[in-house]
Amino acid sequence: MDLRSYIKKYNRIIENFFSISLLNAISQIISFFLVPYLVAVLGFKTYGAYVFIYNIALYLVLFGTYGFRFSVTRQISINRDNRAEVNRIFNAAIAARLLLSSVAAIVAGIAVFMLMDADDMLMYLFSLGIVFGDVFIPVWLFQGMEQMRYLTIVNVVSKIVFALLVFILINEQGDYIYILILNSCGYIAAGLLSMFIAFRHYRLCFALPRWSDIVELLKDGWHIFVSNIGMELYRNSNCFLLGVLVNDTAVGIYNSVEKLVKVGQSVINALPMAIFPHASRLFHSGDMRENIAKLNKMLRVSFVLLFFVALAFACSPRLVVLYLAELDYTTAKYLVWLMSPVMIFGCLNYIAGIVGLVNLGASNLFERNIWIAGLLSVTLMLVFCKDYTYYAAAATWSIAETLLFVMCLLSIRSVKNRKLESANGVD
């Protein structure tokens, strides 16, 4: 197959890869400049207080997102040529997300009111625009249609506006309470622009969904939702536990280095994200042995590439100190070393778990693996974070990602053997 034919065959995957890469690159470049600016203006303690509330908002977004970024993406991908079916799924998903987000926001609001001070409550209220703005950003629609360029346009515009407003309006420590207002404005703007694209380009429209459609989506996304909750136990709960068990300064130090890891992860994850809808259709009707062989090849190639990425990151402590002038070299060195394995196994877990197990119909196995890794992570944090603070958080993250990858490999082998035995039994 010549290059032109190859590009034509996989043009949607290639386009989505570059769209997601561009989105992630711009998002992380913005974050790359924002974090040291905010740390310099606010200090680690105040920056940590902002991160703590922002992470609460992200938990609510997670609850409202449910498992739709994969389950609904798969449904949209399979039915994308049927506009009536896509419109039905679209409205059911939006309604389900509104319902879930509202319940989560009310419950969390009561907890914040009872347990935190007035400033935290005000910041929480300011953060709700993030929660409800995200409801109307249908990542699953654009990804299922394999036209991620629209999501790129939406997010890049909103993030650039947000960053400019931060640099203009956040000039002293007391301004930290307003950062969440600017975050919310960015999410709301992205939601409005997303709806405009959905209505104009895909000719969708709002319609009252049937309750049965909502229930169907909730059932279909349940295993992925539970997996996402488990994933949060080791990917984002470290900041929360540091805030509760240690102090805001520890949150600020850990999060500032964690952001650098997530910069690399977001760019690296562009390829498996672009492949997911294509794999959904392929695994839906393709030969199981051939699909698993392709999956294993993808994992092997990715491991080699990611090893060199992680090695480069492990050699970068002095660059981290230049990036975060408030951070001393010793702290940066140990945090970078402890987090380096995440650069390898974070992406491999996406490929093995989401692209692999979910599309192989083994979401329950992925869910089980996630929860084992997540519960181990929380247990290690509870035991060690008071004594070792952000070092414990960094080590825990790497341990959880590594364990999850090993369990996903074993699960893929188990699925393969079970299906082969079933096929041989039929024969």
Side-chain angles (χ1 to χ4, degrees), residues 23 35 38 40 96 111 120 133 188 193 218 230-231 251-252 258 282 309 325 333 409 423:
L23 169 60
V35 170
L38 289 174
D120 289 331
I188 292 169
L193 185 53
L218 293 175
M231 201 174 293
V251 176
E258 179 193 49
L282 187 67
V309 172
K333 177 178 67 176
L409 285 184

Side-chain angles (χ1 to χ4, degrees), residues 37-300:
Y37 176 78
L38 289 174
V39 169
V41 172
L42 306 179
F44 278 123
K45 184 177 187 300
T46 307
Y47 173 72
Y50 153 69
V51 169
F52 185 75
I53 299 297
Y54 182 71
N55 271 278
I56 292 176
L58 291 184
Y59 279 119
L60 301 184
V61 168
L62 172 71
F63 192 83
T65 302
Y66 202 65
F68 294 162
R69 287 194 180 177
F70 301 110
S71 63
V72 177
T73 294
R74 185 171 61 240
Q75 288 198 30
I76 294 287
S77 177
I78 293 170
N79 296 286
R80 69 185 184 195
D81 296 324
N82 185 337
R83 189 172 71 87
E85 186 66 10
V86 169
N87 199 65
R88 181 188 69 81
I89 297 169
F90 170 81
N91 281 288
I94 293 291
R97 291 207 62 197
L98 273 174
L99 177 63
L100 293 168
S101 296
S102 298
V103 171
I106 292 170
V107 172
I110 294 171
V112 170
F113 178 76
M114 295 176 63
L115 301 175
M116 299 183 186
D117 59 29
D119 281 349
D120 289 331
M121 185 66 197
L122 185 60
M123 290 177 66
Y124 172 75
L125 293 174
F126 288 160
S127 74
L128 290 181
I130 297 172
V131 179
F132 290 100
D134 189 78
V135 168
F136 295 97
I137 305 175
V139 177
W140 33 267
L141 174 65
F142 301 134
Q143 193 171 2
M145 290 291 193
E146 295 191 72
Q147 293 181 328
M148 293 296 286
R149 63 181 179 273
Y150 294 117
L151 184 66
T152 300
I153 294 169
V154 165
N155 278 282
V156 166
V157 170
S158 65
K159 289 179 184 298
I160 289 176
V161 171
F162 163 68
L164 291 175
L165 290 175
V166 167
F167 285 122
I168 293 170
L169 300 176
I170 308 300
N171 300 307
E172 57 186 48
Q173 194 174 59
D175 294 335
Y176 81 100
I177 201 168
Y178 303 115
I179 302 175
L180 287 163
I181 295 179
L182 303 181
N183 273 125
S184 291
C185 289
Y187 273 81
I188 292 169
L192 292 173
L193 185 53
S194 294
M195 289 298 100
F196 174 78
I197 293 171
F199 296 156
R200 182 72 178 269
H201 183 75
Y202 298 119
R203 293 181 293 130
L204 303 179
C205 61
F206 281 134
L208 188 65
R210 295 176 298 182
W211 178 249
S212 60
D213 291 339
I214 296 174
V215 172
E216 179 187 338
L217 289 188
L218 293 175
K219 287 181 178 178
D220 188 45
W222 170 251
H223 285 297
I224 298 173
F225 170 63
V226 175
S227 299
N228 287 341
I229 295 294
M231 201 174 293
E232 288 301 303
L233 291 179
Y234 69 87
R235 287 196 171 174
N236 290 321
S237 66
N238 287 354
C239 284
F240 180 78
L241 291 174
L242 284 174
V244 172
L245 300 175
V246 187
N247 54 49
D248 288 336
T249 302
V251 176
I253 291 172
Y254 173 77
N255 180 262
S256 60
V257 180
E258 179 193 49
K259 286 281 189 184
L260 289 174
V261 177
K262 291 186 174 179
V263 167
Q265 279 190 309
S266 66
V267 175
I268 293 166
N269 281 342
L271 182 58
M273 286 180 68
I275 288 172
F276 177 77
H278 176 76
S280 295
R281 293 194 310 279
L282 187 67
F283 282 35
H284 183 68
S285 58
D287 177 74
M288 184 272 299
R289 293 190 198 186
E290 187 177 326
N291 291 336
I292 291 182
K294 289 179 180 177
L295 178 65
N296 288 331
K297 182 178 180 181
M298 189 188 305
L299 287 169
R300 287 194 296 270

Side-chain angles (χ1 to χ4, degrees), residues 359-381:
N359 280 320
L360 288 169
S363 297
N364 59 322
L365 295 181
F366 186 46
E367 174 191 324
R368 181 203 64 188
N369 297 342
I370 285 284
W371 273 92
I372 292 172
L375 291 173
L376 173 66
S377 176
V378 170
T379 301
L380 292 175
M381 283 293 291

